[in-house]
Amino acid sequence: MTEAYIYDAVRTPRGKGRPDGSLHEVTSVRMSATVLNALKARNGLDGHAVEDVIWGNVTQVMEQGACLARTAVLASDLDETIPGLSINRFCASGMEAVNLAANQIKGGAGEAYIAGGVEMMSRVPMGSDGAAVAVDPSVAMERYFVPQGISADIIATEYGFTRDQADALAVESQKRAKAAWDDNRFAKSIIPVTDVNGLTILDHDEFIRPGTDMQTLGALKASFKDMGEVMPGFDKVAMLKYPHLERINHIHHAGNSSGIVDGSAGVLIGNAEFGKKYGLKPRARIRQTCKIGTEPTIMLTGPVPATQKILADSGMSIGDIDLFEVNEAFASVVLRFQQAFDVDMDKINVNGGSIAMGHPLGATGAIIIGTLLDELERQDKQVGLATLCIASGMGAATIIERV
């Protein structure tokens, strides 16, 4: 089978994801085109250089509607002969774009792809698509639907995680993210966002709060307690599904949950012939990909079975992995992953994660693959695994190996 190699990975800085954020005036199309143009320029691409642009995006309405991938190609410097495909696997959309591209190459369907994603959460609010999984009673009631924050608190309750543990993980995420920026560890991948005059709008992740400590977080109110215990009373829905739980322990709040931000990321993937044609050296190969469905009420446990599946599919064990990127959707997601595999936390999210820097839904899967690759190179390690939990109960994972 043909190998699929990563030749380059870039991302924009993550903006605050609200109207006073630096990127609010930048459209989803322009953010996507910024990444596409960077990959084209950095790698000397011309003509029909890639078979397709596969672009992840979660809230596919308004400016993110229709086929955003094709719109982004037309707005970029890429040749118009390159088509575009928009996909949605919720929080893993950017990763699924990369995985789909890699498997297309492995199957012989083209020499190269650009894959990644975008989410402008300040401009297209999360949930504004009115998704049926949350609002259609015939689905939501039968499957005991609860919001993701409640699901994160169910994980904490089911697996015994305390608020102090969640807050400590959040403080560490902030600490690691600041250290990474201070040490310029993202310099290889970051593409500054500019205005129409070429002036820089944003060149760093503006969501980071380096002064965060346990006392600061301890003062925050649990974000999902009222919706769980009062109205609309989602705790009772959850306990219909999990009657062994006497109550839901609400430990999550704005400080130990992922930040709502804007951002975009892209990965250039190709076979060996593509690299020779453009004089590019592969940085890593995509060794294995996987996706899996999980129980939809607890919803966010997907990284555990996805990791079990991808390791089994590739004939590997957890000890074969040098570094991990586990998306910090909520603190309990990472705590559960660490608990399940007993992985040293020094190997997980070593440069911080979405709690510190934010989670632009459609882009994060591609962001963490690029971050993982950069860190493998920095530490001179070989094999890394990236994984995300996914809304409605799914998980996805990717194993990359330096070459």
Side-chain angles (χ1 to χ4, degrees):
M1 181 180 289
T2 302
E3 293 279 12
Y5 297 104
I6 297 177
Y7 286 94
D8 201 5
V10 301
R11 72 171 177 93
T12 64
R14 283 169 272 195
K16 287 184 178 178
R18 55 179 186 259
D20 64 347
S22 298
L23 299 181
H24 177 65
E25 299 304 320
V26 182
T27 66
S28 306
V29 172
R30 189 151 78 83
M31 280 287 280
S32 300
T34 296
V35 169
L36 298 181
N37 289 344
L39 289 172
K40 179 181 187 295
R42 284 163 57 119
N43 298 283
L45 306 182
D46 58 14
H48 194 88
V50 298
E51 187 75 13
D52 204 354
V53 170
I54 306 178
W55 217 236
N57 179 248
V58 175
T59 310
Q60 297 187 6
V61 295
M62 297 182 287
E63 69 183 51
Q64 294 182 167
C67 184
L68 176 59
R70 176 58 176 168
T71 308
V73 170
L74 295 176
S76 76
D77 297 331
L78 293 180
D79 196 282
E80 67 180 15
T81 60
I82 298 171
L85 171 65
S86 293
I87 66 168
N88 182 3
R89 199 186 291 280
F90 294 125
C91 300
S93 296
M95 174 177 283
E96 186 60 32
V98 171
N99 291 354
L100 179 58
N103 290 324
Q104 291 276 82
I105 291 167
K106 289 180 179 182
E111 290 190 345
Y113 288 75
I114 292 175
V118 68
E119 205 77 34
M120 299 301 291
M121 301 179 76
S122 67
R123 297 176 60 87
V124 185
M126 180 169 51
S128 56
D129 53 352
V133 70
V135 302
D136 183 342
S138 67
V139 178
M141 293 179 69
E142 182 177 338
R143 291 294 181 173
Y144 302 98
F145 170 83
V146 298
Q148 286 189 29
I150 302 291
S151 298
D153 287 338
I154 296 172
I155 294 174
T157 308
E158 179 74 9
Y159 294 100
F161 305 128
T162 67
R163 173 153 172 170
D164 278 351
Q165 286 177 294
D167 286 356
L169 186 145
V171 170
E172 184 65 18
S173 181
Q174 297 283 354
K175 177 182 175 182
R176 292 182 180 190
K178 183 181 186 303
W181 272 101
D182 289 348
D183 198 31
N184 292 318
R185 296 180 195 173
F186 301 125
K188 184 183 291 187
S189 302
I190 288 290
I191 305 299
V193 181
T194 60
D195 64 16
V196 293
N197 298 311
L199 299 176
T200 298
I201 298 173
L202 188 65
D203 61 2
H204 65 282
D205 291 324
E206 67 175 345
F207 191 78
I208 299 176
R209 294 152 292 179
T212 301
D213 56 26
M214 293 294 286
Q215 290 70 33
T216 303
L217 297 185
L220 297 177
K221 179 182 177 181
S223 296
F224 311 103
K225 182 178 176 66
D226 287 348
M227 73 167 63
E229 296 179 355
V230 188
M231 288 296 291
F234 283 110
D235 284 8
K236 291 184 178 179
V237 176
M239 287 185 284
L240 287 173
K241 185 63 183 260
Y242 306 108
H244 64 283
L245 299 179
E246 295 182 0
R247 60 183 295 273
I248 306 299
N249 183 22
H250 294 286
I251 70 166
H252 289 93
H253 49 74
N256 59 27
S257 306
S258 56
I260 295 174
V261 297
D262 301 324
S264 185
V267 182
L268 177 62
I269 308 160
N271 60 18
E273 289 72 24
F274 169 78
K276 291 175 183 176
K277 179 178 179 181
Y278 285 95
L280 302 174
K281 182 180 178 181
R283 296 171 63 187
R285 69 183 178 108
I286 297 179
R287 180 163 175 169
Q288 194 75 38
T289 71
C290 88
K291 58 274 186 184
I292 195 166
T294 65
E295 199 281 299
T297 304
I298 203 167
M299 194 186 308
L300 306 175
T301 54
V304 173
T307 297
Q308 291 168 336
K309 183 177 189 299
I310 200 169
L311 291 174
D313 290 349
S314 57
M316 303 176 73
S317 68
I318 200 74
D320 295 324
I321 308 299
D322 296 312
L323 293 172
F324 299 84
E325 284 289 323
V326 183
N327 185 41
E328 294 175 355
F330 298 89
S332 64
V333 174
V334 182
L335 291 170
R336 172 57 188 149
F337 182 90
Q338 193 278 331
Q339 180 190 65
F341 297 106
D342 195 25
V343 175
D344 189 332
M345 285 300 292
D346 288 340
K347 295 182 177 182
I348 302 175
N349 301 347
V350 299
N351 294 311
S354 291
I355 290 173
M357 292 174 284
H359 177 19
L361 306 178
T364 301
I367 289 174
I368 66 174
I369 289 173
T371 299
L372 180 61
L373 176 56
D374 285 346
E375 187 61 20
L376 285 170
E377 291 174 342
R378 189 182 76 87
Q379 293 194 28
D380 195 23
K381 298 290 179 64
Q382 287 301 117
V383 183
L385 184 152
T387 184
L388 303 94
C389 61
I390 308 174
S392 76
M394 293 184 283
T398 306
I399 292 176
I400 63 173
E401 181 177 26
R402 288 179 60 209
V403 293

